[in-house]
Amino acid sequence: MIITRTPFRISFVGGGSDFEEFYSRWPGAVLSTTINKFMYISTHRFWDEEIIVAKYSRTEMVKEISQLQHPIIREVLKKFNVTGALEISSNADVGAGTGLGSSSSFTVGMLHNLYTVFGRFVTKQQLAEDACDIEINQLGEPIGKQDQYAAAFGGLNIFRFESSGAVTVEPIHLKKEIYKALEKRLMMFYLGTQRSASAILAEQKKNMQMKTAHLEPIRDMVGLVWELRDVLYSGRLEAFGKILHTNWMLKQQLSSMITSSRINDLYDIALRNGATGGKLLGAGGGGFFLFYCEPEQQERLRSALATLREMKFKFENEGSKIIYIGDEYLEH
């Protein structure tokens, strides 16, 4: 058996600039971090020559890869030309559709696992590139590139998206006291609604293709990446929430489905009760709200948002990794 552990991510600013519709015209950039919430993928070879078993929210038993209904598993197995019996299982700390990049964490984890099954070394860069190819090129998902890179590399990073399609990674190395102070000032609350990002992102993608005006807010959001980087390095964390707020206001211009009256009401309540800024994670429409809040105001914010469930977390800096290799692999 082989088990991979791949982190979920929080994207702070710059989302949308990782779409080809944007970075083919202007350089894109996203600042994000991974957190200690993970996708676990396990694979197990067993004595049968014709059966592939995939266990996720449902169980599939098939004789041919092409018969698999799960699109990511199917495409990853095709990439490695898997034959013989293989059992695949997945477990996650947080459900899908919550804005934490779970789909790309699944893809990166699956790829990392299969590279290991076949005894092939893979870099973080290759994992991210392969995941982008599967999700964007082969499956045609209306998504960008940030989630795949975050899941593969882990940590607090700026990802730059060039017109050529190349992606470069700029790690943010903070003083320990700044890093810990930021971690303590971020709070996350679950709205209680899981949603498919595809419809929201498809509208956003269409808007970027048809109207240059829809690219202007994203250009402004990219500018916030460099502002936020300077804030972090200087330790001026009091400005962090204000930048998140500005990004959230800009993001709402990208699609009519990003927010709702309920989401807006909850955000206003948070701002009146200690939060200095925040944003809905992922494409929008549901999932997790992220807020910046000074420690002395956090109990007040919790009380004001008592109808929502808080998820506590810490930052993570390892990215996708192998956490278990069975003896049957080590012996060869």
Side-chain angles (χ1 to χ4, degrees):
M1 179 178 289
I2 291 174
I3 304 175
T4 52
R5 187 188 76 182
T6 306
F8 293 160
R9 65 94 187 98
I10 293 173
S11 178
F12 295 125
V13 291
S17 70
D18 56 331
F19 280 77
E20 184 179 5
E21 286 75 13
F22 181 86
Y23 65 70
S24 62
R25 305 189 203 187
W26 295 287
V30 168
L31 199 160
S32 69
T33 188
T34 47
I35 61 175
N36 64 339
K37 304 300 176 184
F38 301 97
M39 175 70 68
Y40 298 88
I41 307 287
S42 65
T43 57
H44 176 235
R45 287 285 194 187
F46 58 97
W47 291 104
D48 198 306
E49 291 301 317
E50 297 182 331
I51 299 176
I52 296 172
V53 182
K55 299 177 180 178
Y56 45 104
S57 58
R58 57 177 288 194
T59 298
E60 295 188 64
M61 296 184 66
V62 301
K63 293 188 177 182
E64 301 290 339
I65 294 173
S66 60
Q67 296 171 333
L68 281 167
Q69 296 299 303
H70 194 293
I72 294 173
I73 295 177
R74 183 181 66 243
E75 294 305 315
V76 172
L77 295 188
K78 282 168 59 178
K79 173 180 175 63
F80 289 90
N81 194 27
V82 173
T83 58
L86 181 67
E87 181 180 62
I88 304 159
S89 300
S90 67
N91 299 93
D93 291 330
V94 184
T98 52
L100 301 180
S102 59
S103 177
S104 294
S105 294
F106 185 95
T107 308
V108 169
M110 270 294 301
L111 286 162
H112 201 173
N113 198 300
L114 267 292
Y115 269 109
T116 307
V117 166
F118 288 95
R120 294 164 56 184
F121 172 76
V122 61
T123 65
K124 293 179 182 294
Q125 182 76 28
Q126 190 64 56
L127 278 177
E129 289 177 2
D130 287 354
C132 288
D133 181 59
I134 285 174
E135 292 190 273
I136 300 170
N137 298 330
Q138 297 182 39
L139 295 177
E141 293 292 338
I143 59 175
K145 293 183 174 182
Q146 64 159 310
D147 292 354
Q148 300 87 345
Y149 278 81
F153 280 85
L156 181 64
N157 301 290
I158 292 174
F159 299 106
R160 299 173 184 250
F161 308 99
E162 309 296 342
S163 60
S164 65
V167 181
T168 57
V169 184
E170 178 186 325
I172 303 295
H173 298 296
L174 298 180
K175 294 178 181 178
K176 184 177 180 180
E177 58 268 26
I178 298 175
Y179 188 81
K180 290 297 182 182
L182 175 62
E183 190 177 62
K184 290 178 181 178
R185 285 160 173 78
L186 295 176
M187 303 177 72
M188 199 149 57
F189 295 87
Y190 182 49
L191 288 170
T193 52
Q194 293 176 297
R195 82 289 178 269
S196 171
S198 295
I200 301 170
L201 293 173
E203 182 187 345
Q204 181 178 325
K205 188 180 176 94
K206 181 180 179 181
N207 288 340
M208 286 191 285
Q209 290 171 333
M210 296 177 63
K211 302 174 184 177
T212 303
H214 279 83
L215 300 177
E216 294 301 327
I218 302 178
R219 292 183 74 178
D220 292 338
M221 290 160 70
V222 171
L224 294 176
V225 170
W226 315 119
E227 287 187 37
L228 192 56
R229 180 186 63 178
D230 293 344
V231 161
L232 290 172
Y233 278 128
S234 66
R236 295 180 290 111
L237 295 183
E238 66 278 1
F240 195 99
K242 295 177 182 178
I243 293 175
L244 283 185
H245 174 76
T246 301
N247 189 87
W248 172 234
M249 294 297 104
L250 290 167
K251 180 175 179 176
Q252 293 177 55
Q253 300 177 37
L254 305 182
S255 167
S256 62
M257 294 185 284
I258 283 176
T259 191
S260 66
S261 59
R262 175 177 179 253
I263 290 170
N264 291 338
D265 288 345
L266 289 168
Y267 188 76
D268 290 342
I269 290 170
L271 292 186
R272 294 197 302 267
N273 288 275
T276 58
K279 60 170 291 194
L280 200 61
L281 297 174
F288 281 97
F289 245 135
L290 175 74
F291 294 107
Y292 180 93
C293 186
E294 294 294 338
E296 62 271 17
Q297 297 290 336
Q298 289 184 1
E299 283 305 318
R300 179 182 164 200
L301 182 58
R302 286 190 182 97
S303 296
L305 298 178
T307 58
L308 304 183
R309 183 154 51 101
E310 182 182 4
M311 185 175 78
K312 296 187 177 182
F313 65 93
K314 292 185 179 297
F315 294 157
E316 186 277 347
N317 59 16
E318 293 184 305
S320 186
K321 65 181 294 187
I322 305 296
I323 61 171
Y324 179 80
I325 299 180
D327 291 343
E328 67 273 23
Y329 290 96
L330 295 175
E331 291 170 358
H332 293 289

